[in-house]
């Protein structure tokens, strides 16, 4: 059973951190295509929905900003829409908050609104709550892990501690991972309420792991960056090749990691594949 970060204590020498959407759970595309993008278009009165939704999907799914926090993605897409002539109103307060707030979640947005309310902040909160509600009520039967995730996590959890490190909210993470029987293979959950993924890894380093004893598993440049700023290793789940990526993780990469052979040529090889995939879309 998972524990809150404040109660978590290190059990094994090594730790594997796993992102959720688009990495372990095959939920990323459907969430953006059915909820995030369309609901943003609704909330901001977008006229050219086709262009807006194409921009939304490129920013969130098929570029170097893949996996970016929802509020940062909202700002980026709204700015592009504004530049293309959409009347979305003043988003100055939202932009400043998304760029500078230490934590980007509904709760931190509510706190910002309590300090200094503005229409753009209010709209962003309404949108974000509608997204959560839609995902929770309409996707409950459709979310599923990628092939090989349960088997891979079960094997990995026998060898290392396992943490979920995600920018999704913890309530959704617990719901999805419990529904698919993944949570027994997890020791601790770091959702968006804890802060960024980099913050989560920094906190996990305080639990007693050496930097070369932590491996971050993710599918987006932000996951790699969170690992890099903390000096820990990164293993990419290649979008479109998720099953292959999980098989390689559990059958090859984890052994390299535990034997302290991950640094250098091996990590450079898997990162090279990841960067080449992203470069096809940028």
């Amino acid at each position: 059973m998972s524990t809150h970060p404040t109660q978590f204590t290190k059990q094994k020498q090594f730790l594997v951190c796993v992102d959720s959407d688009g990495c372990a759970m095959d939920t990323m595309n459907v969430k953006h295509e059915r909820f995030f993008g369309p609901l943003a278009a609704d909330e901001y009165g977008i006229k050219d929905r086709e262009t807006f939704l194409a921009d939304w999907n490129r920013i969130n799914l098929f570029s170097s900003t893949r996996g970016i926090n929802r509020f940062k993605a909202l700002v980026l897409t709204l700015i592009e829409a504004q530049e293309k002539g959409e009347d979305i109103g003043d988003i100055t307060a939202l932009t400043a908050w998304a760029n500078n707030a230490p934590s980007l979640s509904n709760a931190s947005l509510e706190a910002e609104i309590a300090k200094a309310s503005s229409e753009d902040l209010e709209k962003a909160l309404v949108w974000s709550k509608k997204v959560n509600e839609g995902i929770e009520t309409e996707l409950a039967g459709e979310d599923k892990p990628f092939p090989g995730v349960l088997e891979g996590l079960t094997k990995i959890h026998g060898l290392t501690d396992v943490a979920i490190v995600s920018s999704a909210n913890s309530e959704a993470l617990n719901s999805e991972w419990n529904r698919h029987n993944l949570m027994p293979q997890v020791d601790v959950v770091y959702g968006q309420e804890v802060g960024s993924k980099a913050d989560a890894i920094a906190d996990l380093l305080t639990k007693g792991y050496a930097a070369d004893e932590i491996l971050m598993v993710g599918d987006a440049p932000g996951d790699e960056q969170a690992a890099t700023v903390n000096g820990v290793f990164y293993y990419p789940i290649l979008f479109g090749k998720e099953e292959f990526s999980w098989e390689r993780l559990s059958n090859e990469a984890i052994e390299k990691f535990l034997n302290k052979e991950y640094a250098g040529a091996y990590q450079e090889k898997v990162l090279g594949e990841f960067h080449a995939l992203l470069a096809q879309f940028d």
Side-chain angles (χ1 to χ4, degrees):
M1 194 64 185
S2 63
T3 60
H4 189 271
T6 55
Q7 285 131 20
F8 171 66
T9 55
K10 173 185 170 186
Q11 302 296 314
K12 301 187 178 84
Q13 181 182 354
F14 293 88
L15 170 71
V16 172
C17 304
V18 182
D19 177 43
S20 186
D21 285 348
C23 176
M25 298 295 294
D26 185 6
T27 48
M28 192 157 169
N29 286 25
V30 69
K31 285 181 179 180
H32 283 284
E33 289 165 0
R34 279 181 45 189
F35 300 101
F36 283 106
L39 289 171
D42 292 346
E43 198 61 39
Y44 288 88
I46 299 299
K47 302 288 190 292
D48 183 355
R49 288 178 69 91
E50 187 177 348
T51 297
F52 181 86
L53 295 177
D55 287 340
W56 181 276
N57 291 338
R58 174 179 48 78
I59 286 167
N60 287 280
L61 300 172
F62 307 117
S63 70
S64 59
T65 49
R66 174 181 168 86
I68 192 172
N69 175 275
R70 66 173 66 181
F71 296 109
K72 287 184 180 288
L74 180 63
V75 167
L76 287 175
T77 316
L78 288 175
I79 288 171
E80 286 203 15
Q82 213 167 33
E83 289 170 352
K84 290 171 181 173
E86 294 282 355
D87 180 14
I88 57 165
D90 182 4
I91 58 166
T92 309
L94 175 63
T95 303
W97 175 76
N99 288 339
N100 299 305
S103 171
L104 296 175
S105 65
N106 286 357
S108 58
L109 181 51
E110 284 170 345
E112 183 68 16
I113 289 168
K115 283 194 295 181
S117 181
S118 68
E119 188 180 354
D120 55 338
L121 293 174
E122 295 273 5
K123 273 189 175 182
L125 181 60
V126 168
W127 163 74
S128 185
K129 286 183 172 179
K130 283 181 179 176
V131 167
N132 287 358
E133 187 181 330
I135 289 169
E136 189 61 33
T137 57
E138 294 181 42
L139 278 193
E142 295 183 43
D143 54 52
K144 62 185 184 298
F146 288 108
V149 171
L150 178 58
E151 298 82 357
L153 273 179
T154 302
K155 180 177 179 179
I156 290 164
H157 193 227
L159 302 167
T160 77
D161 290 336
V162 174
I164 299 174
V165 174
S166 168
S167 56
N169 68 81
S170 295
E171 188 179 348
L173 292 168
N174 277 288
S175 174
E176 290 170 0
W177 285 57
N178 275 309
R179 191 154 51 240
H180 296 284
N181 203 33
L182 298 177
M183 202 55 92
Q185 310 307 327
V186 173
D187 298 296
V188 63
V189 177
Y190 282 77
Q192 66 180 200
E193 303 82 3
V194 180
S196 69
K197 292 175 183 177
D199 294 335
I201 296 172
D203 187 66
L204 284 160
L205 279 164
T206 70
K207 308 291 186 181
Y209 305 98
D212 68 350
E213 293 169 353
I214 296 180
L215 177 68
M216 175 70 200
V217 178
D219 63 294
D223 302 322
E224 181 185 1
Q225 186 181 9
T228 302
V229 298
N230 283 291
V232 307
F233 294 126
Y234 177 63
Y235 177 85
I237 300 298
L238 304 172
F239 56 88
K241 299 179 180 178
E242 292 88 357
E243 186 172 5
F244 158 77
S245 300
W246 273 95
E247 284 178 2
R248 183 171 64 176
L249 172 62
S250 59
N251 295 327
E252 179 182 282
I254 199 69
E255 189 177 328
K256 299 270 189 190
F257 172 56
L258 295 175
N259 290 336
K260 302 236 174 171
E261 297 169 349
Y262 194 85
Y266 189 78
Q267 180 167 242
E268 285 165 18
K269 180 187 85 163
V270 296
L271 289 183
E273 294 171 1
F274 180 55
H275 297 152
L277 178 63
L278 289 168
Q280 293 175 28
F281 297 94
D282 276 343

